[in-house]
Amino acid sequence: MEIRNHTSSTAGFILLGLSSNTQLQKPLFAIFLIMYLVTVVGNVLIILAIRSDSRLHTPMYFFLSNLSFMDICFTTVIVPKMLVNLLSETKSISYVGCLVQMYFFMAFGNTDSYLLASMAIDRLVAICNPFRFDTVMNPRRCLLMLLGSCTISHLHAMLRVLLMSRLSFCASHIIKHFFCDTQPVLKLSCSDTSSSQIVVMTETLAVIVTPFLCILFSYLRIIVTVLRIPSVAGKWKAFSTCGSHLTIVILFYGSVIYVYFRPLSMYSVVKDRVATVMYTVVTPMLNPFIYSLRNKDMKRGLRKLRDRIHS
């Protein structure tokens, strides 16, 4: 295998983390531990509430429950290792461990983006073609959309990791980040990375921009349809069903586009760390709050779950 040919070039990497200031390590550990626990508990509650309430067994909530599960997996790939390194002197990660982390980070992250696109399609059909909603968004089609999202995302992650495994690392092994992301690792390679950068940028455009364009097209159609509704109350009711989803899309894609759609020469360590924290930690943590606080159906489902737990 290719990995075996290149492990001789490096025994592993050092992850610098969020800050090199030793006085900040324990406060950062406490903050991110709390954020991780809130993320896991919040998303588990969303999944349980949807599963326990038959009125939430609709395409939108099917995708939401899977998005919550992916968010748990997504943050679990990053945060536990980051927490260990915050209290560790070495802050090391093995070469294979780095590639594995990179694989699952991209697989779960891309699945998130495709699920957000699936949810946008659900809103498009519900608002623009409500009479055919049950036919178009049937359970079989929803399951196929989920399986397609996972398959494309894992194939993308596999291609990216195979590409990275062909690089040699003979200089610095210090990754100026808190996990193994593509750009920081590419910066360390002593191989010619120009072709790798082109492949990474092209593939990223294909995989990330496709669901983004799908979301954009869906909302343009939704806006056109809603503006034709004569009453203000009707317009507000239609838009209100999209508010939570649109908020998550802006948070997720805003930070992702900032981090990944720039040349390697424009890479900024500090700014990229902040932006990456937004979509790897903050957005998954906020998802349950955004969908529950602004959604009457989810509030009812959570109350029903609470009552069942108490009884």
Side-chain angles (χ1 to χ4, degrees), residues 103-295:
Y103 174 87
F104 285 108
F105 162 73
M106 285 184 290
F108 293 132
N110 286 324
T111 304
D112 259 12
S113 67
Y114 278 96
L115 286 173
L116 288 171
S118 299
M119 294 167 80
I121 292 170
D122 171 84
R123 292 299 84 205
L124 171 67
V125 178
I127 293 171
C128 301
N129 202 352
F131 297 111
R132 295 196 62 222
F133 180 79
D134 291 336
T135 305
V136 176
M137 299 301 294
N138 60 66
R140 181 176 177 274
R141 188 160 292 161
C142 290
L143 182 60
L144 286 174
M145 290 169 73
L146 172 63
L147 293 175
S149 300
C150 294
T151 302
I152 293 170
S153 300
H154 280 272
L155 286 174
H156 162 73
M158 188 180 298
L159 177 62
R160 180 70 64 84
V161 168
L162 286 173
L163 181 70
M164 299 300 289
S165 71
R166 298 176 65 87
L167 301 176
S168 295
F169 301 90
C170 47
S172 173
H173 296 160
I174 299 173
I175 298 174
K176 296 178 180 179
H177 215 322
F178 56 90
F179 73 102
C180 290
D181 201 4
T182 306
Q183 297 284 42
V185 174
L186 271 176
K187 292 278 281 187
L188 298 182
S189 177
C190 53
S191 306
D192 180 11
T193 61
S194 56
S195 59
S196 297
Q197 287 183 56
I198 293 170
V199 172
V200 166
M201 186 65 76
T202 306
E203 187 210 9
T204 301
L205 279 169
V207 174
I208 295 180
V209 171
T210 301
F212 180 72
L213 289 177
C214 179
I215 293 168
L216 192 62
F217 171 77
S218 297
Y219 274 104
L220 287 174
R221 285 284 308 276
I222 287 169
I223 289 168
V224 170
T225 301
V226 170
L227 289 177
R228 291 173 181 167
I229 299 173
S231 68
V232 176
K235 289 177 181 178
W236 174 250
K237 184 179 179 181
F239 273 131
S240 66
T241 64
C242 305
S244 299
H245 177 255
L246 197 55
T247 304
I248 295 299
V249 167
I250 292 169
L251 285 172
F252 182 82
Y253 274 101
S255 49
V256 166
I257 289 170
Y258 176 81
V259 172
Y260 292 106
F261 290 91
R262 291 175 302 151
L264 197 60
S265 58
M266 293 178 65
Y267 176 73
S268 168
V269 176
V270 177
K271 290 180 180 178
D272 278 36
R273 284 178 189 169
V274 174
T276 306
V277 166
M278 278 299 297
Y279 74 87
T280 58
V281 183
V282 177
T283 302
M285 181 186 69
L286 292 179
N287 278 0
F289 296 101
I290 292 170
Y291 274 101
S292 59
L293 293 177
R294 300 186 59 183
N295 189 308

Side-chain angles (χ1 to χ4, degrees), residues 46-92:
I46 290 289
I47 294 168
L48 292 176
I50 292 171
R51 296 295 166 87
S52 63
D53 191 345
S54 59
R55 285 174 293 186
L56 296 179
H57 293 175
T58 63
M60 184 66 174
Y61 294 108
F62 169 76
F63 291 124
L64 177 57
S65 63
N66 282 285
L67 180 69
S68 291
F69 176 72
M70 290 300 163
D71 280 343
I72 293 170
C73 297
F74 188 46
T75 53
T76 300
V77 169
I78 305 297
V79 179
K81 179 61 179 174
M82 180 176 69
L83 293 174
V84 170
N85 285 347
L86 282 169
L87 299 182
S88 171
E89 292 290 333
T90 57
K91 305 183 187 301
S92 63

